[in-house]
Amino acid sequence: MMKLQEERLTFYGGLTTIGGVHIMYSCGDTGFVFDLGMARGFFNGDTRVEPDHGIGSYLLTRMAPPILGLYDPMLLGDIGEAELLQVWGKPYLPQVANLHGFVSHIHQDHMALLPSLRSSLPVWMHRDAYAVYEAIVAAGEYEGTHADIRLVEDGQIVDFGTFRIEFIEVDHDSPGVTGFIIHGPGHTIAFTADWRRHGRNAYRLDSFIERCRSVEVDVLITEGTRLRPDTLFRKPKDRLEIDVAVECRRAMEETQGLVYVNILARNVERVADLIIRTQEAGRQLVMDESTAVLWHIASAKLAVLSGHPALEAGNTVIRVLPTPLWSKGPHPIQELELPFAPITTSEIVVDKSSYAVYLTYSHTALIAELEARGSQDTGSIYVHADGNPLSPNDETLLKWLNEFGVQYRYCSTGGHAAPQEITELTAAIAPQVVIPLHSSHPTLFDSKGVRKVFPAPGESFELGELVDRK
């Protein structure tokens, strides 16, 4: 009888943090690394490095997985296995000859390493996720990647030789988010990616559960973002995704002043809904150049938006405000001939009731120019709907709003499942082992009797040993 190739899971990131999941599944000489982002930690908006010289800093602070075959050799410089072994405090770090990467969706904590990858590395992602990535590159948010991007569809199965992967789209607050089932020679492993039940496509989770049950998944890896002491005893009533843009429209109808809307532009489906609700409220939606480019590129390529009325309405509803020099991003915005009419702040303040302003956090200072000019008779409203900053208690933002008397409305409905929903999903799939991560408090997870494993950073498990351990 032929001996089965050894299957192994090695865990590096996202184990006790929200985001930055770095895991390698290996079978024989083939490895599959998921995801390729970074968690918050050593770097933020003020302390940062660019990809052309930053991968070393990421590796030496354990912000990137210590798998040398992932990265552009020109960016690695002199960093090698000896330095990584010292940083991780390990005598051995698994490396494989045939390496693949995977990006579940286009949020920073899942895709930020893309610009640092080597040119021949195969990286798998859903085609809608890649459409968003192309859009954020065009918008100047990120550099492009030299990796060999390979696109997948929901339900597609790819044969990697010693194992197969079945890609399954789930629901999150970004298009194309995809989990998977690994069909190995001896075991099956399911990865949920980031997911939620209160989105527009909750049925995808039912399909994911059904498929996991049918193949009798051995190991389930699930996100646990909302596992916190205050969430364990009462299932929260989440605002439905489809209601967010309705709340924005309600604000537009309740004031003759300006309405500022702060939505993460990568949530392109929500932006599409916002365009329609703005049109219904009789206003036009003012975007900065970067956001307009992102919408224009992504909306034209996203299969999930095919036939959406916002594709046509946007050409008349959207107006573009030139990005001020003081707020230009780190990378150039792609020069495009946009189908949207330009506008100036002087035009906006003449008739504030006619406009909603899509105001990203970096452009907050525009509030001064827009509020100090024009009519002061009716107050403006700021709708904060999951754009940065993610917290409703940001001191800087609230100071700007208080200074100019702008009413603040927090209208959040994030992309993550409630703890009770994670428990229900785990019980329905009934794996041998569940590994909760992408969480600050994974040990709070109630698995309803399914054995839980909490890997340590750098810990590597042979699959038979992991599944059979009592």
Side-chain angles (χ1 to χ4, degrees):
M1 180 180 295
M2 182 181 296
K3 183 178 180 181
L4 296 180
Q5 301 248 32
E6 180 186 82
E7 297 177 86
R8 183 166 291 275
L9 276 173
T10 306
F11 295 83
Y12 293 113
L15 306 177
T16 55
T17 61
I18 294 175
V21 172
H22 300 142
I23 304 170
M24 182 169 72
Y25 167 84
S26 57
C27 184
D29 67 350
T30 301
F32 185 77
V33 181
F34 56 101
D35 266 329
L36 297 171
M38 288 187 294
R40 302 178 188 90
F42 290 93
F43 303 99
N44 57 31
D46 298 317
T47 303
R48 64 186 182 187
V49 290
E50 295 304 317
D52 58 353
H53 57 80
I55 190 60
S57 297
Y58 300 149
L59 283 166
L60 297 176
T61 53
R62 299 175 299 281
M63 296 286 288
I67 304 168
L68 293 173
L70 289 173
Y71 309 108
D72 184 340
M74 295 294 291
L75 303 182
L76 284 173
D78 295 332
I79 295 175
E81 187 173 10
E83 287 81 9
L84 298 181
L85 290 173
Q86 179 177 330
V87 167
W88 284 84
K90 298 288 181 181
Y92 170 73
L93 294 169
Q95 308 287 341
V96 295
N98 182 23
L99 193 61
H100 296 255
F102 173 75
V103 170
S104 64
H105 63 288
I106 307 303
H107 282 163
Q108 179 267 353
D109 55 334
H110 297 267
M111 51 62 63
L113 293 174
L114 280 170
S116 301
L117 303 180
R118 62 177 170 86
S119 59
S120 57
L121 179 74
V123 174
W124 302 84
M125 69 176 81
H126 191 282
R127 67 175 57 255
D128 273 358
Y130 186 58
V132 179
Y133 181 64
E134 289 183 299
I136 66 171
V137 170
E141 291 188 25
Y142 270 88
E143 289 185 336
T145 184
H146 298 294
D148 177 12
I149 302 298
R150 300 186 180 184
L151 305 181
V152 297
E153 306 277 2
D154 178 37
Q156 182 174 339
I157 299 176
V158 176
D159 192 334
F160 290 82
T162 55
F163 59 91
R164 296 174 298 119
I165 298 184
E166 180 177 356
F167 296 98
I168 305 173
E169 193 172 3
V170 295
D171 189 66
H172 186 43
D173 55 346
S174 180
V177 60
T178 300
F180 56 74
I181 300 174
I182 296 175
H183 301 265
H187 301 90
T188 52
I189 302 163
F191 173 60
T192 64
D194 289 5
W195 65 279
R196 62 180 178 179
R197 277 290 193 184
H198 53 280
R200 68 185 77 234
N201 301 302
Y203 68 90
R204 292 177 182 161
L205 274 305
D206 297 321
S207 299
F208 182 87
I209 291 170
E210 181 180 351
R211 187 61 187 144
C212 288
R213 286 177 58 86
S214 70
V215 301
E216 298 183 347
V217 160
D218 296 307
V219 179
L220 172 65
I221 303 172
T222 179
E223 70 119 309
T225 303
R226 293 170 66 184
L227 292 170
R228 300 188 307 272
D230 62 320
T231 64
L232 297 182
F233 302 107
R234 182 175 59 85
K235 184 174 180 178
K237 184 177 181 180
D238 290 310
R239 179 182 284 107
L240 296 177
E241 171 61 40
I242 57 175
D243 290 338
V244 176
V246 173
E247 292 294 328
C248 294
R249 183 190 68 189
R250 183 172 291 118
M252 297 176 201
E253 295 170 342
E254 290 178 357
T255 182
Q256 292 298 301
L258 283 171
V259 173
Y260 302 97
V261 179
N262 183 354
I263 290 173
L264 189 66
R266 300 180 200 195
N267 192 343
V268 188
E269 291 176 272
R270 185 180 293 182
V271 176
D273 289 347
L274 175 64
I275 289 169
I276 296 302
R277 302 299 173 236
T278 303
Q279 183 183 52
E280 292 171 351
R283 297 190 183 224
Q284 290 186 305
L285 183 62
V286 178
M287 290 182 174
D288 63 275
E289 289 176 272
S290 176
T291 302
V293 167
L294 196 162
W295 161 256
H296 181 63
I297 295 290
S299 63
K301 296 182 177 182
L302 283 170
V304 75
L305 285 184
S306 178
H308 197 292
L311 299 179
E312 181 177 348
N315 293 343
T316 56
V317 173
I318 296 172
R319 303 287 296 274
V320 179
L321 185 68
T323 302
L325 291 175
W326 51 261
S327 66
K328 293 285 187 181
H331 308 295
I333 300 172
Q334 183 176 332
E335 293 187 10
L336 296 174
E337 187 172 338
L338 296 170
F340 319 124
I343 196 169
T344 65
T345 55
S346 297
E347 292 177 88
I348 295 171
V349 299
V350 167
D351 185 10
K352 296 181 179 182
S353 65
S354 294
Y355 304 102
V357 178
Y358 193 121
L359 194 65
T360 61
Y361 188 45
S362 61
H363 295 158
T364 299
L366 282 173
I367 289 175
E369 189 171 347
L370 294 172
E371 292 300 316
R373 301 163 61 202
S375 173
Q376 310 290 309
D377 295 338
T378 307
S380 298
I381 299 173
Y382 184 103
V383 183
H384 190 180
D386 296 305
N388 290 319
L390 298 179
S391 167
N393 303 311
D394 183 76
E395 183 178 349
T396 301
L397 174 60
L398 295 180
K399 187 170 185 178
W400 276 95
L401 300 181
N402 290 335
E403 175 69 19
F404 293 97
V406 177
Q407 182 187 141
Y408 178 70
R409 295 187 184 180
Y410 190 59
C411 186
S412 172
T413 182
H416 302 283
Q420 296 81 359
E421 293 167 335
I422 305 171
T423 296
E424 291 164 3
L425 175 134
T426 302
I429 293 174
Q432 298 296 311
V433 175
V434 61
I435 302 174
L437 36 69
H438 197 291
S439 170
S440 298
H441 304 282
T443 58
L444 297 179
F445 175 51
D446 178 6
S447 65
K448 293 299 182 188
V450 176
R451 182 161 59 87
K452 296 177 284 187
V453 171
F454 305 103
E459 189 168 8
S460 189
F461 299 91
E462 194 277 317
L463 259 292
E465 177 185 297
L466 176 65
V467 172
D468 296 336
R469 181 186 299 173
K470 301 301 180 184

